Amino acid sequence: MADNYLENQYENYLARKAAMGKKTAKKKPIIKVQRLQPEAIEALKEIIAQPSFRMPFDIFREHLYSAEDLYKGYQMDKAGSFKDCYDQQVYNHYLKMGKATTDIKETLARTLHDHSMTNAMNDFLAHFDERQVVGIMGGHGLLRTEEAYRQVVMVSKTLAENGCLMISGGGPGAMEATHLGAYMAGRTEAETADALELLKEAPSFKDKRWLDTALQVMKKYPQEQYVSLGVPTWLYGHEPATPFATHIAKYFDNSIREDSILTIAKGGIIYSPGSAGTMQEIFQEAVQNHYLSFGYASPMIFMNKQYWTEEMPVYLLMEHLIKKEKYKNLLMTLTDSTDEIVKTILDFRNIKQE
């Protein structure tokens, strides 16, 4: 079938070329259609099916990444080995070739990689009901020592224990807190408090022992029952991917990555304090809910009343736009209560889909 297809394509090309010649030639041109030789067919098949690329990343990846995959080559207590791990080798290549490279071979390789990531992520998500998937958005700069970090951990932990698949952008800060919470699901509050205490040694992802302390927690408290999905990007490769995410879909194209997170979190999104990136995610999600892009609107929960009404008064703006009927179908909640957040998400999940 492949041989006939290639031959037909070649014949069609010659026929189109002949048709173009009719428009300018005084006499009808004589075109003899040549059949492709078997060697040429095999060469074309190989070019189409198996591009020959030598890249530091897997182009046709069948499965999502794990922390072990991304940090392969890293050795604890040897900060210098970080540059040798798979994740950093890919990031350095990405910078070398250019974030917005025009190299066709490079752009094709990245596109194929991201396409395989989406396929692998869809395979993974097929094991969950779409309303089980809940996202938490927030700033990468949130410190492990802050109360907001602990609150995100506890919200995520409780939701995971109640059957939610927790997802985030897969980086540090509020994103890491999301996956730490899911990672500590099934454990006691005392054990979770101990994990938080261990992480306080390196509050910021810029601290040398940020990764080591996370790996120490994972070694002390192995997780074999609960999973979570992180969706980071090499566009922000200076922000390390959290190892607490059991499954990681890492992308080159940030626009695909951003849209994927908001699209799959049909169980609702919780917004912890964040800056420009979180603002973007709020309005992207509002558009999906306004137009009922997936048949229904999902909860938009704003965690921290003071932040969302004073420091970043986006909640008040959204309320104003709803009153002006610029937005419809938004299911918004503003709260400081962990219990209210959990109840809102679980109540929504239990609503029967029409």
Side-chain angles (χ1 to χ4, degrees):
M1 183 178 293
D3 292 359
N4 291 336
Y5 173 79
L6 291 172
E7 291 172 357
N8 291 336
Q9 291 299 304
Y10 187 66
E11 290 177 0
N12 290 339
Y13 163 73
L14 292 177
R16 289 196 301 272
K17 189 173 180 181
M20 291 177 64
K22 291 179 182 179
K23 296 178 181 180
T24 56
K26 293 181 180 180
K27 296 182 179 180
K28 184 177 179 180
I30 299 174
I31 299 294
K32 184 178 180 181
V33 177
Q34 299 289 337
R35 307 292 289 183
L36 289 178
Q37 295 299 316
E39 309 85 59
I41 293 173
E42 290 304 314
L44 282 173
K45 285 166 63 178
E46 187 169 342
I47 291 171
I48 293 171
Q50 298 180 357
S52 178
F53 294 132
R54 290 185 178 180
M55 298 290 172
F57 55 89
D58 297 329
I59 298 173
F60 302 105
R61 188 173 178 85
E62 296 182 3
H63 307 289
L64 295 173
Y65 291 107
S66 65
E68 290 77 10
D69 294 328
L70 290 180
Y71 292 117
K72 184 178 181 180
Y74 176 73
Q75 301 178 53
M76 285 183 64
D77 299 316
K78 292 185 179 180
S81 65
F82 184 72
K83 62 179 175 54
D84 298 323
C85 72
Y86 174 87
D87 186 63
Q88 283 300 293
Q89 289 180 358
V90 175
Y91 181 53
N92 290 335
H93 171 82
Y94 178 62
L95 294 179
K96 180 181 177 181
M97 296 302 297
K99 291 184 176 182
T101 181
T102 57
D103 185 295
I104 187 64
K105 191 174 182 180
E106 180 70 20
T107 55
L108 178 57
R110 293 178 187 180
T111 299
L112 291 171
H113 169 277
D114 286 359
H115 182 70
S116 70
M117 274 293 97
T118 298
N119 283 341
M121 184 166 64
N122 289 339
D123 289 343
F124 173 70
L125 293 172
H127 295 89
F128 302 88
D129 180 85
E130 62 184 25
R131 292 200 186 199
Q132 283 183 269
V133 186
V134 177
I136 298 184
M137 307 300 179
H140 64 267
L142 183 64
L143 300 178
R144 290 167 164 177
T145 51
E146 295 185 55
E147 173 59 23
Y149 184 97
R150 188 198 69 81
Q151 187 178 18
V152 173
V153 169
M154 298 312 297
V155 166
S156 182
K157 179 178 185 294
T158 305
L159 287 173
E161 290 169 344
N162 281 275
C164 293
L165 172 66
M166 303 307 298
I167 68 169
S168 84
M175 294 173 281
E176 179 191 55
T178 300
H179 297 288
L180 173 61
Y183 189 86
M184 296 304 293
R187 296 196 175 274
T188 66
E189 288 192 20
E191 289 173 318
T192 304
D194 179 54
L196 287 167
E197 195 63 33
L198 291 172
L199 295 176
K200 286 181 179 179
E201 180 187 342
S204 168
F205 72 90
K206 298 178 182 178
D207 295 323
K208 290 183 178 180
R209 286 186 51 77
W210 180 86
L211 181 56
D212 280 356
T213 50
L215 296 176
Q216 286 176 349
V217 169
M218 294 172 68
K219 183 177 181 180
K220 186 172 183 179
Y221 299 110
Q223 175 59 266
E224 297 178 353
Q225 179 179 354
Y226 295 90
V227 297
S228 66
L229 173 64
V231 191
T233 173
W234 276 293
L235 180 67
Y236 303 134
H238 61 285
E239 299 175 8
T242 173
F244 291 117
T246 59
H247 295 74
I248 302 171
K250 191 155 190 175
Y251 284 85
F252 288 104
D253 192 322
N254 185 52
S255 62
I256 296 176
R257 169 250 190 178
E258 286 278 5
D259 186 68
S260 295
I261 297 171
L262 298 171
T263 297
I264 65 178
K266 294 184 176 69
I269 295 182
I270 301 160
Y271 298 97
S272 64
S275 55
T278 308
M279 298 301 107
Q280 174 186 334
E281 291 154 354
I282 289 171
F283 288 102
Q284 278 185 260
E285 178 66 8
V287 170
Q288 291 183 169
N289 288 328
H290 173 80
Y291 288 112
L292 300 178
S293 300
F294 305 105
Y296 57 87
S298 301
M300 299 176 66
I301 303 175
F302 295 80
M303 178 192 295
N304 192 318
K305 290 182 178 180
Q306 187 273 335
Y307 185 83
W308 294 117
T309 59
E310 296 180 25
E311 288 189 49
M312 284 281 195
V314 66
Y315 186 85
L316 300 179
L317 172 61
M318 302 294 283
E319 278 193 322
H320 173 73
L321 294 173
I322 290 172
K323 290 178 181 178
K324 293 289 185 179
E325 297 186 345
K326 302 298 182 182
Y327 276 123
K328 296 180 181 179
N329 306 315
L330 303 193
L331 306 177
M332 299 199 310
T333 300
L334 176 66
T335 184
D336 292 320
S337 168
T338 297
D339 290 340
E340 185 177 3
I341 293 171
V342 172
K343 185 177 185 304
T344 301
I345 292 293
L346 296 182
D347 285 350
F348 175 76
R349 193 181 75 191
N350 292 330
I351 295 174
K352 291 183 179 180
Q353 299 184 36
E354 296 181 0

